[in-house]
Amino acid sequence: MSNPTDNAEQLCEYEQCSGAIELLIETREKDIGNFSVRRSLPTAKRKMVGPWIFFDHMGPADFPIGEGINVRPHPHVNLATVTYLFEGEILHRDSLGSVQPIRPGDINLMVAGKGITHSERERPEATRTPRRLHGLQLWLALPEEDEEIDPAFYHYPSADIPALEVDGVPLRVMMGAAYGVTSPVKTFAETLYVEAHLQPGQRLALPYAEERAVYTAQGKMKAGVTEIPEHSLAVCAAGVGVTLEAVTECRIGIIGGERLSRRYVDWNFVSSRKERIEQARQDWKSGAFPKVPGDEEEFIPLPE
């Protein structure tokens, strides 16, 4: 998904906490055209959690016949995008020639590296019926030594993502290793990404990572004395064991991993170097980025 402005940070409400949770980020809904997103990262109070530098909750959005996702080609550098849907479908195309529908439970991993262009639309046949779109899109900062690798695209169908139950809680280990299983999804830095679905009263101990956070896509939770409302990102205190308890039925995402060096974010570009972002801006403005085969006519202009 393209960031609609050159500033990736979105207005949020914050609460400094004590104990297991050190910061609670409560998101605000933002309309970006024909659907809305809630952005948890980056914010003024927290730029990253492990290698994760961008976290958008898309929808849920209900589309009538003839309408839907229609994100024109746009560029990325020095990052990887991770797309995961609860409902609906998105058609991914990129400048490598990839053409891949993503459906609920699948993971699309697009590695921008030294530069990639992609679009996110829908198959014409999908727009012939009313439908709903609901999902998460995240960006990973690449380690400095991997920022300029060749771009790549990986698709992992739902059946390949490890699913298990922990203390009665169904969950999926989407990236990294947790709860005794390891996801096949490619990682660069140490990375954690888990989805879980809890019923009221169920508890779940979080796996360890140098940095961790929990997002409540649905429902309300608590960690110790801290309540975590719906659509909030709870950043965990370092080195502390954290056990969540569902107050209502909950669908959550657990993210984390190793701490990386400082990153700069400008529009759709992420890099450890400001000069690299400026170069990417000029390259997009001058048309130097590769085009998306089959989607060459349109593009998103550089925000000025």
Side-chain angles (χ1 to χ4, degrees):
M1 206 65 64
S2 176
N3 179 30
T5 68
D6 57 355
N7 182 8
E9 292 184 8
Q10 193 160 325
L11 293 175
C12 297
E13 295 181 1
Y14 307 94
E15 181 182 341
Q16 294 294 148
C17 306
S18 59
I21 305 301
E22 68 175 31
L23 180 67
L24 190 62
I25 302 170
E26 296 187 43
T27 62
R28 297 180 185 177
E29 194 172 48
K30 184 174 183 179
D31 189 348
I32 62 169
N34 54 355
F35 70 104
S36 63
V37 298
R38 294 176 177 272
R39 181 163 303 158
S40 305
L41 293 173
T43 69
K45 292 288 182 73
R46 186 78 185 208
K47 309 298 185 186
M48 301 173 68
V49 175
W52 300 101
I53 196 166
F54 184 95
F55 191 119
D56 264 5
H57 180 185
M58 307 177 290
D62 293 302
F63 294 119
I65 295 173
E67 295 184 17
I69 290 291
N70 192 26
V71 181
R72 295 167 289 164
H74 56 278
H76 294 287
V77 297
N78 290 188
L79 59 83
T81 67
V82 179
T83 305
Y84 180 81
L85 297 180
F86 300 126
E87 299 176 84
E89 180 185 299
I90 295 175
L91 180 63
H92 167 94
R93 281 194 175 98
D94 63 41
S95 49
L96 300 173
S98 312
V99 180
Q100 178 64 60
I102 179 170
R103 300 182 176 94
D106 299 347
I107 290 182
N108 272 7
L109 172 68
M110 185 186 73
V111 182
K114 62 186 180 183
I116 199 168
T117 308
H118 77 131
S119 63
E120 293 157 301
R121 302 190 190 259
E122 291 191 68
R123 296 179 300 121
E125 54 268 37
T127 65
R128 294 174 189 153
T129 58
R131 67 220 168 280
R132 169 171 282 202
L133 180 74
H134 187 200
L136 304 174
Q137 188 168 74
L138 297 80
W139 296 355
L140 283 163
L142 296 175
E144 291 185 36
E145 62 271 21
D146 293 320
E147 285 185 314
E148 297 294 332
I149 61 175
D150 289 337
F153 177 77
Y154 305 91
H155 175 77
Y156 300 88
S158 178
D160 290 351
I161 307 302
L164 66 156
E165 283 194 4
V166 175
D167 295 331
V169 176
L171 55 83
R172 306 178 81 214
V173 179
M174 295 189 285
M175 297 183 74
Y179 303 110
V181 300
T182 300
S183 168
V185 178
K186 185 175 179 62
T187 59
F188 296 88
E190 182 183 320
T191 304
L192 176 68
Y193 185 17
V194 175
E195 181 207 13
H197 191 178
L198 294 87
Q199 298 302 317
Q202 284 190 310
R203 294 164 63 88
L204 180 67
L206 297 189
Y208 174 79
E210 185 177 5
E211 296 186 344
R212 293 169 298 174
V214 179
Y215 180 75
T216 49
Q218 171 195 336
K220 183 168 67 173
M221 307 204 70
K222 63 180 181 180
V225 298
T226 303
E227 286 201 348
I228 306 171
E230 190 171 61
H231 303 146
S232 297
L233 184 74
V235 181
C236 303
V240 174
V242 180
T243 297
L244 303 173
E245 182 176 346
V247 177
T248 65
E249 182 181 356
C250 292
R251 172 171 267 170
I252 64 171
I254 304 164
I255 60 170
E258 67 178 279
R259 183 184 298 113
L260 297 186
S261 60
R262 180 178 180 179
R263 293 297 189 273
Y264 301 96
V265 184
D266 188 302
W267 191 39
N268 295 317
F269 307 127
V270 168
S271 182
S272 61
R273 298 157 290 150
K274 284 185 176 181
E275 64 273 15
R276 181 64 180 93
I277 287 179
E278 183 55 34
Q279 178 190 335
R281 289 179 62 88
Q282 295 307 314
D283 286 347
W284 183 247
K285 196 171 183 178
S286 67
F289 271 84
K291 294 189 180 297
V292 177
D295 202 348
E296 299 99 338
E297 300 302 317
E298 296 184 299
F299 65 93
I300 299 178
L302 180 76
E304 297 291 350

